[in-house]
PDB file of all heavy atoms in Angstrom:
ATOM      1  N   LEU A   1      -3.461  -3.168   3.317  1.00 97.00           N
ATOM      2  CA  LEU A   1      -2.776  -2.648   4.501  1.00 97.00           C
ATOM      3  C   LEU A   1      -1.795  -1.576   4.025  1.00 97.00           C
ATOM      4  O   LEU A   1      -1.120  -1.743   3.001  1.00 97.00           O
ATOM      5  CB  LEU A   1      -2.029  -3.758   5.219  1.00 97.00           C
ATOM      6  CG  LEU A   1      -1.386  -3.411   6.568  1.00 97.00           C
ATOM      7  CD1 LEU A   1      -2.474  -3.100   7.606  1.00 97.00           C
ATOM      8  CD2 LEU A   1      -0.523  -4.568   7.048  1.00 97.00           C
ATOM      9  N   ALA A   2      -1.741  -0.460   4.750  1.00 97.00           N
ATOM     10  CA  ALA A   2      -0.869   0.657   4.369  1.00 97.00           C
ATOM     11  C   ALA A   2      -0.004   1.085   5.552  1.00 97.00           C
ATOM     12  O   ALA A   2      -0.490   1.144   6.692  1.00 97.00           O
ATOM     13  CB  ALA A   2      -1.692   1.834   3.863  1.00 97.00           C
ATOM     14  N   GLY A   3       1.256   1.408   5.286  1.00 97.00           N
ATOM     15  CA  GLY A   3       2.155   1.968   6.284  1.00 97.00           C
ATOM     16  C   GLY A   3       2.294   3.464   6.081  1.00 97.00           C
ATOM     17  O   GLY A   3       2.272   3.959   4.946  1.00 97.00           O
ATOM     18  N   ILE A   4       2.455   4.221   7.188  1.00 97.00           N
ATOM     19  CA  ILE A   4       2.453   5.681   7.163  1.00 97.00           C
ATOM     20  C   ILE A   4       3.645   6.202   7.937  1.00 97.00           C
ATOM     21  O   ILE A   4       3.928   5.714   9.044  1.00 97.00           O
ATOM     22  CB  ILE A   4       1.150   6.262   7.748  1.00 97.00           C
ATOM     23  CG1 ILE A   4      -0.057   5.789   6.946  1.00 97.00           C
ATOM     24  CG2 ILE A   4       1.197   7.773   7.805  1.00 97.00           C
ATOM     25  CD1 ILE A   4      -1.377   6.094   7.631  1.00 97.00           C
ATOM     26  N   LEU A   5       4.350   7.198   7.390  1.00 98.00           N
ATOM     27  CA  LEU A   5       5.406   7.923   8.090  1.00 98.00           C
ATOM     28  C   LEU A   5       5.192   9.426   7.868  1.00 98.00           C
ATOM     29  O   LEU A   5       4.859   9.845   6.753  1.00 98.00           O
ATOM     30  CB  LEU A   5       6.792   7.536   7.571  1.00 98.00           C
ATOM     31  CG  LEU A   5       7.306   6.132   7.910  1.00 98.00           C
ATOM     32  CD1 LEU A   5       8.619   5.879   7.185  1.00 98.00           C
ATOM     33  CD2 LEU A   5       7.482   5.960   9.417  1.00 98.00           C
ATOM     34  N   SER A   6       5.396  10.211   8.913  1.00 97.00           N
ATOM     35  CA  SER A   6       5.193  11.664   8.802  1.00 97.00           C
ATOM     36  C   SER A   6       6.145  12.373   9.763  1.00 97.00           C
ATOM     37  O   SER A   6       6.293  11.948  10.919  1.00 97.00           O
ATOM     38  CB  SER A   6       3.752  12.022   9.115  1.00 97.00           C
ATOM     39  OG  SER A   6       3.552  13.416   9.092  1.00 97.00           O
ATOM     40  N   THR A   7       6.772  13.458   9.296  1.00 97.00           N
ATOM     41  CA  THR A   7       7.687  14.232  10.124  1.00 97.00           C
ATOM     42  C   THR A   7       7.532  15.709   9.789  1.00 97.00           C
ATOM     43  O   THR A   7       7.409  16.075   8.611  1.00 97.00           O
ATOM     44  CB  THR A   7       9.151  13.827   9.888  1.00 97.00           C
ATOM     45  OG1 THR A   7       9.309  12.434  10.221  1.00 97.00           O
ATOM     46  CG2 THR A   7      10.096  14.635  10.755  1.00 97.00           C
ATOM     47  N   ARG A   8       7.571  16.536  10.831  1.00 96.00           N
ATOM     48  CA  ARG A   8       7.667  17.973  10.631  1.00 96.00           C
ATOM     49  C   ARG A   8       8.770  18.501  11.529  1.00 96.00           C
ATOM     50  O   ARG A   8       8.701  18.352  12.752  1.00 96.00           O
ATOM     51  CB  ARG A   8       6.345  18.670  10.936  1.00 96.00           C
ATOM     52  CG  ARG A   8       6.347  20.150  10.515  1.00 96.00           C
ATOM     53  CD  ARG A   8       4.942  20.648  10.291  1.00 96.00           C
ATOM     54  NE  ARG A   8       4.905  21.923   9.621  1.00 96.00           N
ATOM     55  CZ  ARG A   8       3.831  22.393   8.993  1.00 96.00           C
ATOM     56  NH1 ARG A   8       2.726  21.652   8.958  1.00 96.00           N
ATOM     57  NH2 ARG A   8       3.848  23.555   8.404  1.00 96.00           N
ATOM     58  N   GLU A   9       9.774  19.121  10.907  1.00 96.00           N
ATOM     59  CA  GLU A   9      10.905  19.668  11.644  1.00 96.00           C
ATOM     60  C   GLU A   9      10.868  21.177  11.532  1.00 96.00           C
ATOM     61  O   GLU A   9      10.930  21.749  10.439  1.00 96.00           O
ATOM     62  CB  GLU A   9      12.216  19.134  11.096  1.00 96.00           C
ATOM     63  CG  GLU A   9      13.439  19.664  11.855  1.00 96.00           C
ATOM     64  CD  GLU A   9      14.752  19.133  11.310  1.00 96.00           C
ATOM     65  OE1 GLU A   9      14.721  18.455  10.269  1.00 96.00           O
ATOM     66  OE2 GLU A   9      15.795  19.380  11.944  1.00 96.00           O
ATOM     67  N   TRP A  10      10.784  21.846  12.690  1.00 93.00           N
ATOM     68  CA  TRP A  10      10.753  23.294  12.714  1.00 93.00           C
ATOM     69  C   TRP A  10      12.184  23.842  12.653  1.00 93.00           C
ATOM     70  O   TRP A  10      13.156  23.106  12.862  1.00 93.00           O
ATOM     71  CB  TRP A  10      10.027  23.782  13.973  1.00 93.00           C
ATOM     72  CG  TRP A  10       8.617  23.305  13.990  1.00 93.00           C
ATOM     73  CD1 TRP A  10       8.133  22.199  14.632  1.00 93.00           C
ATOM     74  CD2 TRP A  10       7.510  23.891  13.311  1.00 93.00           C
ATOM     75  NE1 TRP A  10       6.779  22.047  14.406  1.00 93.00           N
ATOM     76  CE2 TRP A  10       6.375  23.080  13.585  1.00 93.00           C
ATOM     77  CE3 TRP A  10       7.340  25.005  12.503  1.00 93.00           C
ATOM     78  CZ2 TRP A  10       5.104  23.371  13.078  1.00 93.00           C
ATOM     79  CZ3 TRP A  10       6.094  25.297  12.000  1.00 93.00           C
ATOM     80  CH2 TRP A  10       4.995  24.490  12.289  1.00 93.00           C
ATOM     81  N   SER A  11      12.318  25.140  12.398  1.00 85.00           N
ATOM     82  CA  SER A  11      13.641  25.738  12.154  1.00 85.00           C
ATOM     83  C   SER A  11      14.563  25.620  13.360  1.00 85.00           C
ATOM     84  O   SER A  11      15.777  25.681  13.222  1.00 85.00           O
ATOM     85  CB  SER A  11      13.480  27.210  11.757  1.00 85.00           C
ATOM     86  OG  SER A  11      12.845  27.931  12.791  1.00 85.00           O
ATOM     87  N   THR A  12      13.994  25.462  14.547  1.00 83.00           N
ATOM     88  CA  THR A  12      14.818  25.314  15.746  1.00 83.00           C
ATOM     89  C   THR A  12      15.283  23.882  15.969  1.00 83.00           C
ATOM     90  O   THR A  12      15.966  23.606  16.957  1.00 83.00           O
ATOM     91  CB  THR A  12      14.032  25.784  16.976  1.00 83.00           C
ATOM     92  OG1 THR A  12      12.751  25.116  17.012  1.00 83.00           O
ATOM     93  CG2 THR A  12      13.808  27.294  16.933  1.00 83.00           C
ATOM     94  N   GLY A  13      14.881  22.963  15.074  1.00 88.00           N
ATOM     95  CA  GLY A  13      15.303  21.571  15.202  1.00 88.00           C
ATOM     96  C   GLY A  13      14.338  20.685  15.937  1.00 88.00           C
ATOM     97  O   GLY A  13      14.547  19.471  15.988  1.00 88.00           O
ATOM     98  N   VAL A  14      13.300  21.241  16.528  1.00 94.00           N
ATOM     99  CA  VAL A  14      12.318  20.409  17.216  1.00 94.00           C
ATOM    100  C   VAL A  14      11.395  19.777  16.169  1.00 94.00           C
ATOM    101  O   VAL A  14      11.196  20.323  15.073  1.00 94.00           O
ATOM    102  CB  VAL A  14      11.502  21.230  18.254  1.00 94.00           C
ATOM    103  CG1 VAL A  14      12.424  21.785  19.312  1.00 94.00           C
ATOM    104  CG2 VAL A  14      10.730  22.360  17.563  1.00 94.00           C
ATOM    105  N   THR A  15      10.824  18.635  16.525  1.00 95.00           N
ATOM    106  CA  THR A  15      10.050  17.857  15.539  1.00 95.00           C
ATOM    107  C   THR A  15       8.776  17.296  16.165  1.00 95.00           C
ATOM    108  O   THR A  15       8.672  17.126  17.383  1.00 95.00           O
ATOM    109  CB  THR A  15      10.877  16.691  15.000  1.00 95.00           C
ATOM    110  OG1 THR A  15      11.194  15.786  16.071  1.00 95.00           O
ATOM    111  CG2 THR A  15      12.140  17.147  14.326  1.00 95.00           C
ATOM    112  N   THR A  16       7.832  16.993  15.282  1.00 96.00           N
ATOM    113  CA  THR A  16       6.744  16.081  15.592  1.00 96.00           C
ATOM    114  C   THR A  16       6.830  14.964  14.555  1.00 96.00           C
ATOM    115  O   THR A  16       6.992  15.225  13.355  1.00 96.00           O
ATOM    116  CB  THR A  16       5.365  16.753  15.536  1.00 96.00           C
ATOM    117  OG1 THR A  16       5.143  17.308  14.220  1.00 96.00           O
ATOM    118  CG2 THR A  16       5.258  17.859  16.574  1.00 96.00           C
ATOM    119  N   GLN A  17       6.730  13.732  15.023  1.00 97.00           N
ATOM    120  CA  GLN A  17       6.872  12.565  14.152  1.00 97.00           C
ATOM    121  C   GLN A  17       5.699  11.640  14.368  1.00 97.00           C
ATOM    122  O   GLN A  17       5.135  11.564  15.447  1.00 97.00           O
ATOM    123  CB  GLN A  17       8.190  11.847  14.435  1.00 97.00           C
ATOM    124  CG  GLN A  17       9.427  12.698  14.215  1.00 97.00           C
ATOM    125  CD  GLN A  17      10.696  11.978  14.598  1.00 97.00           C
ATOM    126  OE1 GLN A  17      10.716  11.146  15.504  1.00 97.00           O
ATOM    127  NE2 GLN A  17      11.794  12.274  13.892  1.00 97.00           N
ATOM    128  N   LEU A  18       5.368  10.897  13.288  1.00 98.00           N
ATOM    129  CA  LEU A  18       4.258   9.953  13.361  1.00 98.00           C
ATOM    130  C   LEU A  18       4.556   8.738  12.510  1.00 98.00           C
ATOM    131  O   LEU A  18       5.157   8.866  11.424  1.00 98.00           O
ATOM    132  CB  LEU A  18       2.972  10.628  12.892  1.00 98.00           C
ATOM    133  CG  LEU A  18       1.695   9.770  12.859  1.00 98.00           C
ATOM    134  CD1 LEU A  18       0.496  10.573  13.341  1.00 98.00           C
ATOM    135  CD2 LEU A  18       1.415   9.251  11.451  1.00 98.00           C
ATOM    136  N   ALA A  19       4.179   7.562  12.994  1.00 98.00           N
ATOM    137  CA  ALA A  19       4.294   6.329  12.236  1.00 98.00           C
ATOM    138  C   ALA A  19       3.079   5.474  12.572  1.00 98.00           C
ATOM    139  O   ALA A  19       2.526   5.546  13.679  1.00 98.00           O
ATOM    140  CB  ALA A  19       5.585   5.589  12.588  1.00 98.00           C
ATOM    141  N   GLY A  20       2.682   4.657  11.639  1.00 97.00           N
ATOM    142  CA  GLY A  20       1.520   3.799  11.894  1.00 97.00           C
ATOM    143  C   GLY A  20       1.083   3.082  10.651  1.00 97.00           C
ATOM    144  O   GLY A  20       1.815   2.982   9.647  1.00 97.00           O
ATOM    145  N   PHE A  21      -0.137   2.588  10.676  1.00 96.00           N
ATOM    146  CA  PHE A  21      -0.694   1.849   9.548  1.00 96.00           C
ATOM    147  C   PHE A  21      -2.203   2.007   9.526  1.00 96.00           C
ATOM    148  O   PHE A  21      -2.838   2.316  10.541  1.00 96.00           O
ATOM    149  CB  PHE A  21      -0.306   0.358   9.613  1.00 96.00           C
ATOM    150  CG  PHE A  21      -0.843  -0.366  10.808  1.00 96.00           C
ATOM    151  CD1 PHE A  21      -2.122  -0.950  10.781  1.00 96.00           C
ATOM    152  CD2 PHE A  21      -0.098  -0.476  11.978  1.00 96.00           C
ATOM    153  CE1 PHE A  21      -2.619  -1.609  11.893  1.00 96.00           C
ATOM    154  CE2 PHE A  21      -0.602  -1.143  13.089  1.00 96.00           C
ATOM    155  CZ  PHE A  21      -1.875  -1.710  13.041  1.00 96.00           C
ATOM    156  N   ASP A  22      -2.772   1.817   8.372  1.00 96.00           N
ATOM    157  CA  ASP A  22      -4.238   1.732   8.242  1.00 96.00           C
ATOM    158  C   ASP A  22      -4.565   0.543   7.361  1.00 96.00           C
ATOM    159  O   ASP A  22      -3.719   0.076   6.574  1.00 96.00           O
ATOM    160  CB  ASP A  22      -4.836   3.038   7.694  1.00 96.00           C
ATOM    161  CG  ASP A  22      -4.375   3.363   6.271  1.00 96.00           C
ATOM    162  OD1 ASP A  22      -4.663   2.589   5.351  1.00 96.00           O
ATOM    163  OD2 ASP A  22      -3.741   4.427   6.102  1.00 96.00           O
ATOM    164  N   GLY A  23      -5.775   0.038   7.484  1.00 95.00           N
ATOM    165  CA  GLY A  23      -6.166  -1.139   6.730  1.00 95.00           C
ATOM    166  C   GLY A  23      -7.644  -1.207   6.471  1.00 95.00           C
ATOM    167  O   GLY A  23      -8.436  -0.488   7.093  1.00 95.00           O
ATOM    168  N   GLN A  24      -7.994  -2.085   5.552  1.00 94.00           N
ATOM    169  CA  GLN A  24      -9.397  -2.279   5.165  1.00 94.00           C
ATOM    170  C   GLN A  24      -9.626  -3.712   4.761  1.00 94.00           C
ATOM    171  O   GLN A  24      -8.790  -4.307   4.081  1.00 94.00           O
ATOM    172  CB  GLN A  24      -9.736  -1.344   4.004  1.00 94.00           C
ATOM    173  CG  GLN A  24     -11.124  -1.511   3.425  1.00 94.00           C
ATOM    174  CD  GLN A  24     -11.398  -0.524   2.308  1.00 94.00           C
ATOM    175  OE1 GLN A  24     -11.114   0.670   2.418  1.00 94.00           O
ATOM    176  NE2 GLN A  24     -11.902  -1.027   1.175  1.00 94.00           N
ATOM    177  N   VAL A  25     -10.741  -4.291   5.224  1.00 95.00           N
ATOM    178  CA  VAL A  25     -11.129  -5.648   4.872  1.00 95.00           C
ATOM    179  C   VAL A  25     -12.591  -5.656   4.480  1.00 95.00           C
ATOM    180  O   VAL A  25     -13.450  -5.192   5.251  1.00 95.00           O
ATOM    181  CB  VAL A  25     -10.900  -6.637   6.036  1.00 95.00           C
ATOM    182  CG1 VAL A  25     -11.366  -8.031   5.629  1.00 95.00           C
ATOM    183  CG2 VAL A  25      -9.460  -6.641   6.478  1.00 95.00           C
ATOM    184  N   ASP A  26     -12.888  -6.147   3.268  1.00 92.00           N
ATOM    185  CA  ASP A  26     -14.268  -6.356   2.847  1.00 92.00           C
ATOM    186  C   ASP A  26     -14.657  -7.786   3.214  1.00 92.00           C
ATOM    187  O   ASP A  26     -14.196  -8.752   2.584  1.00 92.00           O
ATOM    188  CB  ASP A  26     -14.420  -6.138   1.346  1.00 92.00           C
ATOM    189  CG  ASP A  26     -14.179  -4.672   0.954  1.00 92.00           C
ATOM    190  OD1 ASP A  26     -14.481  -3.811   1.781  1.00 92.00           O
ATOM    191  OD2 ASP A  26     -13.713  -4.438  -0.178  1.00 92.00           O
ATOM    192  N   LEU A  27     -15.461  -7.927   4.265  1.00 93.00           N
ATOM    193  CA  LEU A  27     -15.824  -9.244   4.731  1.00 93.00           C
ATOM    194  C   LEU A  27     -16.672  -9.981   3.703  1.00 93.00           C
ATOM    195  O   LEU A  27     -16.551 -11.195   3.525  1.00 93.00           O
ATOM    196  CB  LEU A  27     -16.568  -9.142   6.065  1.00 93.00           C
ATOM    197  CG  LEU A  27     -15.799  -8.423   7.191  1.00 93.00           C
ATOM    198  CD1 LEU A  27     -16.672  -8.302   8.428  1.00 93.00           C
ATOM    199  CD2 LEU A  27     -14.503  -9.161   7.508  1.00 93.00           C
ATOM    200  N   ASP A  28     -17.552  -9.271   3.041  1.00 89.00           N
ATOM    201  CA  ASP A  28     -18.370  -9.781   1.949  1.00 89.00           C
ATOM    202  C   ASP A  28     -18.823  -8.578   1.148  1.00 89.00           C
ATOM    203  O   ASP A  28     -18.261  -7.485   1.271  1.00 89.00           O
ATOM    204  CB  ASP A  28     -19.541 -10.635   2.463  1.00 89.00           C
ATOM    205  CG  ASP A  28     -20.360  -9.915   3.551  1.00 89.00           C
ATOM    206  OD1 ASP A  28     -20.568  -8.688   3.429  1.00 89.00           O
ATOM    207  OD2 ASP A  28     -20.798 -10.583   4.508  1.00 89.00           O
ATOM    208  N   ASP A  29     -19.867  -8.734   0.341  1.00 84.00           N
ATOM    209  CA  ASP A  29     -20.280  -7.638  -0.526  1.00 84.00           C
ATOM    210  C   ASP A  29     -20.922  -6.472   0.212  1.00 84.00           C
ATOM    211  O   ASP A  29     -21.057  -5.384  -0.339  1.00 84.00           O
ATOM    212  CB  ASP A  29     -21.266  -8.160  -1.591  1.00 84.00           C
ATOM    213  CG  ASP A  29     -20.587  -9.035  -2.616  1.00 84.00           C
ATOM    214  OD1 ASP A  29     -19.345  -8.941  -2.736  1.00 84.00           O
ATOM    215  OD2 ASP A  29     -21.265  -9.832  -3.294  1.00 84.00           O
ATOM    216  N   VAL A  30     -21.355  -6.694   1.465  1.00 89.00           N
ATOM    217  CA  VAL A  30     -22.095  -5.631   2.173  1.00 89.00           C
ATOM    218  C   VAL A  30     -21.449  -5.244   3.500  1.00 89.00           C
ATOM    219  O   VAL A  30     -21.940  -4.321   4.159  1.00 89.00           O
ATOM    220  CB  VAL A  30     -23.565  -6.052   2.405  1.00 89.00           C
ATOM    221  CG1 VAL A  30     -24.282  -6.227   1.069  1.00 89.00           C
ATOM    222  CG2 VAL A  30     -23.665  -7.309   3.242  1.00 89.00           C
ATOM    223  N   ASN A  31     -20.386  -5.912   3.921  1.00 93.00           N
ATOM    224  CA  ASN A  31     -19.753  -5.613   5.208  1.00 93.00           C
ATOM    225  C   ASN A  31     -18.281  -5.251   5.010  1.00 93.00           C
ATOM    226  O   ASN A  31     -17.554  -5.994   4.337  1.00 93.00           O
ATOM    227  CB  ASN A  31     -19.870  -6.796   6.164  1.00 93.00           C
ATOM    228  CG  ASN A  31     -21.283  -7.019   6.639  1.00 93.00           C
ATOM    229  OD1 ASN A  31     -21.807  -6.254   7.452  1.00 93.00           O
ATOM    230  ND2 ASN A  31     -21.942  -8.064   6.116  1.00 93.00           N
ATOM    231  N   GLN A  32     -17.885  -4.152   5.621  1.00 93.00           N
ATOM    232  CA  GLN A  32     -16.517  -3.676   5.483  1.00 93.00           C
ATOM    233  C   GLN A  32     -15.992  -3.252   6.848  1.00 93.00           C
ATOM    234  O   GLN A  32     -16.684  -2.603   7.616  1.00 93.00           O
ATOM    235  CB  GLN A  32     -16.479  -2.494   4.508  1.00 93.00           C
ATOM    236  CG  GLN A  32     -15.095  -1.890   4.307  1.00 93.00           C
ATOM    237  CD  GLN A  32     -15.174  -0.598   3.489  1.00 93.00           C
ATOM    238  OE1 GLN A  32     -15.401   0.473   4.030  1.00 93.00           O
ATOM    239  NE2 GLN A  32     -14.982  -0.732   2.183  1.00 93.00           N
ATOM    240  N   VAL A  33     -14.729  -3.609   7.141  1.00 96.00           N
ATOM    241  CA  VAL A  33     -14.048  -3.207   8.370  1.00 96.00           C
ATOM    242  C   VAL A  33     -12.842  -2.352   8.003  1.00 96.00           C
ATOM    243  O   VAL A  33     -12.078  -2.728   7.075  1.00 96.00           O
ATOM    244  CB  VAL A  33     -13.614  -4.429   9.187  1.00 96.00           C
ATOM    245  CG1 VAL A  33     -12.821  -3.998  10.419  1.00 96.00           C
ATOM    246  CG2 VAL A  33     -14.823  -5.245   9.632  1.00 96.00           C
ATOM    247  N   ARG A  34     -12.691  -1.207   8.646  1.00 94.00           N
ATOM    248  CA  ARG A  34     -11.552  -0.305   8.398  1.00 94.00           C
ATOM    249  C   ARG A  34     -10.966   0.126   9.746  1.00 94.00           C
ATOM    250  O   ARG A  34     -11.652   0.069  10.781  1.00 94.00           O
ATOM    251  CB  ARG A  34     -11.978   0.936   7.613  1.00 94.00           C
ATOM    252  CG  ARG A  34     -12.581   0.663   6.280  1.00 94.00           C
ATOM    253  CD  ARG A  34     -13.138   1.948   5.682  1.00 94.00           C
ATOM    254  NE  ARG A  34     -12.106   2.929   5.403  1.00 94.00           N
ATOM    255  CZ  ARG A  34     -12.377   4.204   5.108  1.00 94.00           C
ATOM    256  NH1 ARG A  34     -13.616   4.646   5.086  1.00 94.00           N
ATOM    257  NH2 ARG A  34     -11.381   5.049   4.846  1.00 94.00           N
ATOM    258  N   GLY A  35      -9.741   0.581   9.721  1.00 95.00           N
ATOM    259  CA  GLY A  35      -9.144   1.089  10.955  1.00 95.00           C
ATOM    260  C   GLY A  35      -7.738   1.590  10.733  1.00 95.00           C
ATOM    261  O   GLY A  35      -7.166   1.477   9.657  1.00 95.00           O
ATOM    262  N   HIS A  36      -7.169   2.157  11.813  1.00 96.00           N
ATOM    263  CA  HIS A  36      -5.771   2.568  11.798  1.00 96.00           C
ATOM    264  C   HIS A  36      -5.208   2.550  13.195  1.00 96.00           C
ATOM    265  O   HIS A  36      -5.929   2.558  14.202  1.00 96.00           O
ATOM    266  CB  HIS A  36      -5.589   3.958  11.141  1.00 96.00           C
ATOM    267  CG  HIS A  36      -6.202   5.107  11.926  1.00 96.00           C
ATOM    268  ND1 HIS A  36      -6.849   6.143  11.317  1.00 96.00           N
ATOM    269  CD2 HIS A  36      -6.262   5.418  13.257  1.00 96.00           C
ATOM    270  CE1 HIS A  36      -7.269   7.023  12.209  1.00 96.00           C
ATOM    271  NE2 HIS A  36      -6.913   6.577  13.404  1.00 96.00           N
ATOM    272  N   PHE A  37      -3.872   2.529  13.258  1.00 97.00           N
ATOM    273  CA  PHE A  37      -3.153   2.715  14.511  1.00 97.00           C
ATOM    274  C   PHE A  37      -1.987   3.646  14.233  1.00 97.00           C
ATOM    275  O   PHE A  37      -1.172   3.388  13.329  1.00 97.00           O
ATOM    276  CB  PHE A  37      -2.616   1.388  15.082  1.00 97.00           C
ATOM    277  CG  PHE A  37      -1.820   1.590  16.347  1.00 97.00           C
ATOM    278  CD1 PHE A  37      -2.452   1.766  17.565  1.00 97.00           C
ATOM    279  CD2 PHE A  37      -0.423   1.645  16.305  1.00 97.00           C
ATOM    280  CE1 PHE A  37      -1.719   1.980  18.726  1.00 97.00           C
ATOM    281  CE2 PHE A  37       0.316   1.860  17.460  1.00 97.00           C
ATOM    282  CZ  PHE A  37      -0.346   2.025  18.681  1.00 97.00           C
TER     283      PHE A  37
END
C-alpha cells in the first residue's frame, strides 16, 4: 500500500493539490489486483 501527496503552486499563489493511495495484492501466483484512489 502506498500513500501519495502532490502540490503545484503557481506564482500567483493558486494551487492544485492531490492526495491518495495506491495498492497491489497478489491473490496467488497467477492473479493480481491493483488500484488507486
Side-chain angles (χ1 to χ4, degrees):
L1 187 66
I4 299 169
L5 290 174
S6 177
T7 299
R8 189 157 193 161
E9 181 179 8
W10 299 96
S11 60
T12 52
V14 298
T15 62
T16 58
Q17 299 177 328
L18 178 140
F21 63 87
D22 64 63
Q24 174 178 313
V25 178
D26 293 329
L27 302 177
D28 51 38
D29 289 340
V30 296
N31 289 287
Q32 180 188 85
V33 175
R34 301 172 65 193
H36 66 220
F37 177 81

